């Protein structure tokens, strides 16, 4: 009950203080708004990049054609060699004999079915294959080359070259975005420290009297922490709106994919709600870190 | 055991100034003690150690069972809640009403609203300022402001009231009124009062215990004492 009353008072004090130092409060709120918009963009971007690279990686298969003269022992050796390549996902490697490949193709299309209908084991021109998946799609080129160097492997084929280049580029964009966000968060913390510092200075007299009349450190510190939290919170309003409405609009306008249907966007619900919640939490934490630092430095409690 | 016990207390400030040098002093519950002495002799330093604004460099300062030297910064408020402090410059908050100024200590402890009200009214009655409850400090005379300050110091019902030249800014007539308030508090509530003063008339008229400091040491300590200045040495 007592702690609750102190908290209520602190919230009251903290909010009043935001209006009292209006210009500086506005500056730090604006800064956190900009930061958080960028954080939001980075979050949306990286979640989407993550989402469709996973999808692409799932779809992207290397097909290894084996020499038709390879014996079953040799096939086993090749399989071991392939699975020993670090970037190959061993659990996904599938071996298919030419008969199986033929059947699969026949099932897929009626034309294939008639053409291939009278091929038998001897006349079947198809080859035994390994189908495999890689762990890191950016390394797919190197992995393909490595496989090609294995004995009795004729050709290696994998998906479109453009896609994996794009994935690589997006991953770089993601990294740069993270770096920028980190820098901006630091700037915001710095601005909040300064805002709170000013509040502390403007209330020095009150604080010293509070000390003299027996206010505990908790009571003295809490209003400033809450002020910082509110600065962050107010700063997160516009970014949250940007996520809620901006992403939905983007999704509707692009019909859910970018450039090509391979690059699918994440569905807005519940994605935008998670993202907004994370933004609000980040905003409050950034505000509290800033104010806690200022309180520790300038309150000497 | 005495309420205040100061044993072989040294205070050396960071700049090397020795403010008290081997001070010994005991004060019982309910006493009214004047601390006098020339400027710079260490009076304020002595009482600052009582409310742990300063820590003794060496020796013991015990107030109401609390060892001031061992008190951690984060626990100072526990000591402060047991005592009231009155300053020469009042230290009131100009933006708060008399009521809110007096309520300030209780509010910052998270006291209940109804309890705050009852106590504030009682404290203002004690200093005879109940009718000014809605005024702001700058609407009051200096003597009234000092009474608000005393009310604030007493609102928590402390056993000890520390005053550093409470009449220093007041004319003789107003000083007399303030002394009457303090004497009343001491007599009626049994509150221990330690008061630093330069006011010869007050000391001589009140006939209380008088402690004289000189260069940070106690040079005389008399019950029902008179004001002594440098000529006595
Ligand atoms: N915070 C401080 N830092 C350094 N020296 C100090 C500090 N406070 C007081 N002093 C020095 O300690 C000595 C005692 O000071 P103190 O304030 O206790 O004197 P006082 O007896 O209260 O004087 P006055 O009657 O003028 O108020 C003085 O020489 C003063 O300059
Ligand atoms: Mg002094």
């Amino acid at each position: 009950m007592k702690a609750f009353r102190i908290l209520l008072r602190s919230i009251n004090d903290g909010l009043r203080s935001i209006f009292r130092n209006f210009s500086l409060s506005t500056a730090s709120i604006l800064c956190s708004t900009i930061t958080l918009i960028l954080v939001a963009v980075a979050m949306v971007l990286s979640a989407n990049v993550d989402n469709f690279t996973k999808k692409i990686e799932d779809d992207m298969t290397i097909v290894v054609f084996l020499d038709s003269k390879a014996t079953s022992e040799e096939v086993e050796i090749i399989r071991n060699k392939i699975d020993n390549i670090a970037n190959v996902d061993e659990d996904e490697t599938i071996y298919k004999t030419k008969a199986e490949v033929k059947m699969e193709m026949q099932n897929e299309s009626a034309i294939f079915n008639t053409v291939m209908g009278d091929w038998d084991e001897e006349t079947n021109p198809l080859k035994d294959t390994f189908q495999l998946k890689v762990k890191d799609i950016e390394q797919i080129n190197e992995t393909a080359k490595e496989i090609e160097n294995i004995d009795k492997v004729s050709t290696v084929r994998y998906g479109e070259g453009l896609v994996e280049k794009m994935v690589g580029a997006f991953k770089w964009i993601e990294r740069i975005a993270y770096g920028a966000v980190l820098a901006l968060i630091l700037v915001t913390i710095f601005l909040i420290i300064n805002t709170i510092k000013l509040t502390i200075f403007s209330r020095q007299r009150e604080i010293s009297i509070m000390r003299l009349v027996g206010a505990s450190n908790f009571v003295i510190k809490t209003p400033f922490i809450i002020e910082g939290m509110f600065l962050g919170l107010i700063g997160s309003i516009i970014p949250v709106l940007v996520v809620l409405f901006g992403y939905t609009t983007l999704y509707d306008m692009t019909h859910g994919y970018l450039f090509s249907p391979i690059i699918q966007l994440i569905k807005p619900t519940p994605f935008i709600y998670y993202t907004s919640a994370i933004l609000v939490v980040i905003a409050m934490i950034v505000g509290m870190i800033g104010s806690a630092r200022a309180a520790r430095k300038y309150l000497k409690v | 055991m005495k309420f205040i016990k100061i044993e072989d207390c040294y205070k050396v400030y960071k700049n090397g100034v020795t403010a008290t040098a081997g001070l010994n002093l005991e004060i019982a519950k309910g006493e009214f003690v004047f601390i006098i002495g020339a400027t710079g002799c260490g009076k304020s330093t002595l009482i600052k150690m009582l409310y742990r604004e300063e820590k003794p460099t060496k020796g013991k300062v015990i107030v109401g069972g609390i060892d001031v030297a061992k008190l951690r910064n984060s626990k100072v408020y526990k000591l402060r809640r047991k005592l009231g402090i009155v300053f020469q410059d009042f230290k009131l908050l100009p933006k708060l009403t008399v009521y809110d100024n007096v309520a300030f200590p209780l509010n910052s402890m998270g006291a209940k609203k109804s309890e705050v009200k009852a106590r504030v009214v009682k404290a203002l009655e004690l200093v005879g300022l109940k009718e000014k409850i809605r005024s702001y400090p700058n609407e009051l005379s200096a003597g009234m402001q000092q009474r608000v300050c005393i009310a604030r110091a007493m609102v928590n019902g402390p056993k000890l009231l520390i005053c550093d030249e409470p009449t220093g800014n007041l004319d003789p007539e107003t000083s007399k009124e303030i002394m009457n308030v303090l004497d009343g508090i001491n007599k009626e509530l049994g509150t221990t009062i330690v008061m630093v003063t330069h006011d010869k008339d007050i000391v001589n008229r009140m006939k209380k215990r008088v402690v004289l400091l000189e260069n940070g040491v106690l040079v005389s300590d008399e019950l029902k004492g008179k004001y002594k200045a440098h000529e006595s040495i």
Side-chain angles (χ1 to χ4, degrees):
Chain A
M1 209 44 218
K2 214 169 88 178
F4 182 69
R5 277 192 295 269
I6 291 173
L7 206 66
L8 270 186
R9 251 176 88 80
S10 299
I11 291 172
N12 188 21
D13 281 4
L15 277 175
R16 253 197 297 191
S17 177
I18 289 177
F19 290 106
R20 209 166 345 170
N21 298 320
F22 190 73
S23 52
L24 201 69
S25 301
T26 311
S28 51
I29 287 170
L30 271 179
C31 191
S32 40
T33 298
I34 293 166
T35 307
L36 289 165
I37 287 177
L38 288 164
V39 172
V41 169
M43 276 170 64
V44 167
L45 191 74
S46 65
N48 273 294
V49 167
D50 244 41
N51 182 52
F52 69 68
T53 46
K54 275 222 186 68
K55 246 190 208 129
I56 291 169
E57 275 164 358
D58 278 352
D59 293 347
M60 191 94 93
T61 310
I62 295 185
V63 183
V64 182
F65 296 100
L66 301 178
D67 209 316
S68 32
K69 289 190 281 296
T71 63
S72 57
E73 288 89 49
E74 280 168 336
V75 168
E76 206 42 48
I77 291 168
I78 292 168
R79 185 192 188 107
N80 275 333
K81 278 186 179 162
I82 288 174
D83 285 349
N84 278 336
I85 295 170
N87 196 30
V88 171
D89 190 346
E90 299 141 57
D91 304 330
E92 302 273 353
T93 308
I94 302 166
Y95 175 71
K96 279 185 186 144
T97 61
K98 60 183 181 185
E100 283 168 327
V101 175
K102 181 187 135 200
M103 244 172 47
E104 228 171 67
M105 289 173 82
Q106 279 179 303
N107 286 341
E108 252 170 49
S109 110
I111 301 170
F112 282 162
N113 193 17
T114 42
V115 172
M116 296 174 174
D118 42 54
W119 291 355
D120 62 18
E121 185 64 22
E122 287 306 306
T123 55
N124 185 353
L126 297 173
K127 293 181 172 178
D128 294 348
T129 61
F130 276 119
Q131 290 178 11
L132 55 93
K133 300 236 158 107
V134 291
K135 291 174 188 159
D136 179 4
I137 201 157
E138 282 175 273
Q139 303 285 318
I140 196 164
N141 246 322
E142 288 79 353
T143 309
K145 281 211 186 85
E146 233 177 296
I147 295 170
E148 226 159 337
N149 287 335
I150 298 173
D151 244 8
K152 305 268 166 147
V153 169
S154 57
T155 32
V156 169
R157 267 193 34 218
Y158 62 93
E160 305 138 77
L162 180 72
V163 174
E164 98 253 1
K165 273 198 195 108
M166 221 155 58
V167 169
F170 273 127
K171 284 199 172 163
W172 266 108
I173 294 172
E174 198 183 334
R175 277 178 211 137
I176 291 167
Y178 275 132
V181 162
L182 211 69
L184 273 156
I185 284 180
L186 289 179
V187 171
T188 308
I189 289 180
F190 180 76
L191 243 129
I192 287 175
I193 289 178
N194 273 285
T195 312
I196 304 295
K197 178 174 100 178
L198 217 82
T199 333
I200 289 174
F201 284 174
S202 75
R203 290 179 61 191
Q204 202 95 71
R205 189 184 157 78
E206 197 179 334
I207 294 164
S208 75
I209 293 170
M210 280 176 98
R211 282 226 183 80
L212 285 170
V213 301
S216 63
N217 285 346
F218 174 75
V219 170
I220 294 173
K221 240 181 348 190
T222 310
F224 298 107
I225 309 276
I226 287 183
E227 183 180 344
M229 205 184 72
F230 271 118
L231 287 176
L233 205 59
I234 296 171
S236 74
I237 293 173
I238 293 174
V240 163
L241 293 178
V242 166
V243 169
L244 291 182
F245 297 107
Y247 186 74
T248 316
T249 310
L250 176 82
Y251 190 87
D252 290 344
M253 272 168 50
T254 59
H255 306 292
Y257 60 85
L258 280 186
F259 313 125
S260 97
I262 309 176
I263 306 179
Q264 299 244 332
L265 295 176
I266 301 172
K267 286 208 177 64
T269 30
F271 174 65
I272 49 172
Y273 301 115
Y274 291 140
T275 310
S276 301
I278 293 170
L279 272 181
V280 169
V281 171
I282 290 177
M284 296 204 304
I285 289 175
V286 163
M288 281 164 80
I289 289 174
S291 50
R293 296 213 111 214
R296 179 141 26 108
K297 202 161 163 200
Y298 301 105
L299 276 178
K300 298 182 195 87
V301 290
Chain B
M1 191 164 142
K2 288 286 166 75
F3 187 56
I4 295 174
K5 196 167 177 172
I6 299 171
E7 248 177 52
D8 196 29
C9 170
Y10 285 79
K11 174 67 196 181
V12 182
Y13 281 108
K14 279 202 190 84
N15 59 2
V17 174
T18 304
T20 68
L23 203 66
N24 286 290
L25 181 65
E26 285 188 352
I27 296 171
K29 237 187 197 132
E31 270 194 282
F32 194 130
V33 183
F34 286 119
I35 313 271
I36 62 168
T39 178
C41 70
K43 304 181 296 294
S44 294
T45 304
L46 165 64
I47 63 167
K48 275 178 186 163
M49 286 191 283
L50 295 182
Y51 60 88
R52 180 51 169 73
E53 186 69 16
E54 298 292 347
K55 259 181 168 176
T57 315
K58 203 185 127 208
K60 259 190 188 166
V61 175
I62 294 179
V63 177
I66 296 176
D67 190 335
V68 171
K70 287 188 186 145
L71 197 61
R72 278 196 284 138
N73 272 338
S74 57
K75 297 281 178 262
V76 168
Y77 72 95
K78 291 194 171 168
L79 171 70
R80 301 260 167 99
R81 286 180 188 183
K82 292 187 178 195
L83 47 83
I85 315 167
V86 177
F87 300 92
Q88 180 174 5
D89 60 355
F90 319 140
K91 295 199 197 299
L92 297 173
L93 290 164
K95 283 185 185 157
L96 299 185
T97 60
V98 166
Y99 179 90
D100 286 329
N101 263 291
V102 176
F104 197 68
L106 298 175
N107 281 335
S108 61
M109 287 171 212
K112 245 188 280 173
K113 225 175 179 173
S114 55
E115 192 187 331
V116 172
K117 190 168 181 208
R119 287 206 196 193
V120 170
V121 169
K122 222 173 100 190
L124 283 172
E125 273 169 355
L126 190 68
V127 298
L129 257 191
K130 211 181 138 196
E131 71 280 9
K132 296 289 182 194
I133 203 158
R134 295 278 150 232
S135 306
Y136 285 87
N138 63 1
E139 296 163 2
L140 303 178
S141 71
M144 286 173 177
Q145 287 184 48
Q146 189 58 296
R147 282 194 268 168
V148 176
C149 183
I150 294 170
R152 183 181 65 191
M154 292 305 297
V155 77
N156 207 18
K159 296 274 167 289
L160 171 65
L161 189 60
I162 295 170
C163 315
D164 197 349
E165 302 188 38
T167 60
N169 280 344
L170 307 176
D171 61 72
E173 205 45 47
T174 317
S175 298
K176 234 185 233 173
E177 285 170 28
I178 293 295
M179 289 321 293
N180 287 340
V181 170
L182 291 179
D183 200 32
I185 287 170
N186 175 245
K187 283 195 174 120
E188 280 159 37
L189 304 176
T191 310
T192 311
I193 296 184
V194 178
M195 171 171 159
V196 170
T197 187
H198 281 291
D199 194 320
K200 186 177 168 184
D201 294 338
I202 286 175
V203 175
N204 288 340
R205 199 180 56 242
M206 301 277 292
K207 299 189 179 60
K208 304 286 185 189
R209 182 175 169 193
V210 178
V211 171
L212 174 65
L213 298 188
E214 204 178 279
N215 296 326
V217 290
L218 193 151
V219 290
S220 103
D221 182 354
E222 290 174 6
L223 293 173
K224 302 206 174 176
K226 290 264 186 218
Y227 192 85
K228 295 187 192 178
H230 330 284
E231 74 264 10
S232 66
I233 315 296

